[in-house]
Amino acid sequence: MINRSPVLFSLMIGSLLLSACGVRAGDSCSGGGYTCASETEALECRDKEWRTLQCRGSSGCSEAEGTINCDMRGNVAGDACAASAEGRGLCTADGKAVLECRMGVLVQVKTCGTCAMDDTRVTCQP
């Protein structure tokens, strides 16, 4: 069992909502913030540049009440992850491994027989 907060089924990656109008990955930005670039991608302002975050889960990228939600349930090792997700884990789509956000990238940290998530932890059984 990994006692870290999981990247929740719908990862809330920010409360600072920005307009996607004209914003593209690689464009310069200041401060921080998130926006949906499409139904399956979010953008994060990080290190003064907009960077793409994949939202591969069935809920994709959506905005609700000023918060951007990026469903990362289908994300894979090597996908970018938000600064707000650093150190957090999630199960792979097949439930056979745990991914953790490290330095802005999802990295496989454990192989499991079964992997499950709830609101407070990721559980990896042999």
Side-chain angles (χ1 to χ4, degrees):
M1 176 168 28
I2 295 178
N3 290 322
R4 295 189 175 134
S5 298
V7 176
L8 301 175
F9 289 110
S10 245
L11 174 66
M12 286 190 234
I13 58 174
S15 58
L16 178 59
L17 177 64
L18 302 170
S19 171
C21 185
V23 175
R24 293 183 303 223
D27 287 352
S28 63
C29 60
S30 61
Y34 302 88
T35 189
C36 287
S38 70
E39 291 180 6
T40 59
E41 292 182 340
L43 293 176
E44 175 185 25
C45 180
R46 190 169 185 174
D47 299 327
K48 299 183 181 182
E49 184 176 297
W50 287 107
R51 59 183 283 225
T52 302
L53 302 173
Q54 296 298 320
C55 309
R56 299 182 193 273
S58 61
S59 296
C61 188
S62 62
E63 181 266 325
E65 299 177 20
T67 299
I68 299 297
N69 297 297
C70 180
D71 184 350
M72 297 178 68
R73 288 178 289 181
N75 286 27
V76 296
D79 281 348
C81 50
S84 61
E86 283 296 325
R88 296 182 184 186
L90 75 153
C91 297
T92 55
D94 65 3
K96 302 293 183 186
V98 176
L99 302 176
E100 187 176 293
C101 184
R102 292 188 178 173
M103 296 178 62
V105 178
L106 288 174
V107 177
Q108 183 174 323
V109 294
K110 200 172 227 184
T111 302
C112 314
T114 60
C115 183
M117 297 186 309
D118 65 25
D119 288 342
T120 59
R121 66 179 164 240
V122 174
T123 304
C124 182
Q125 299 292 329

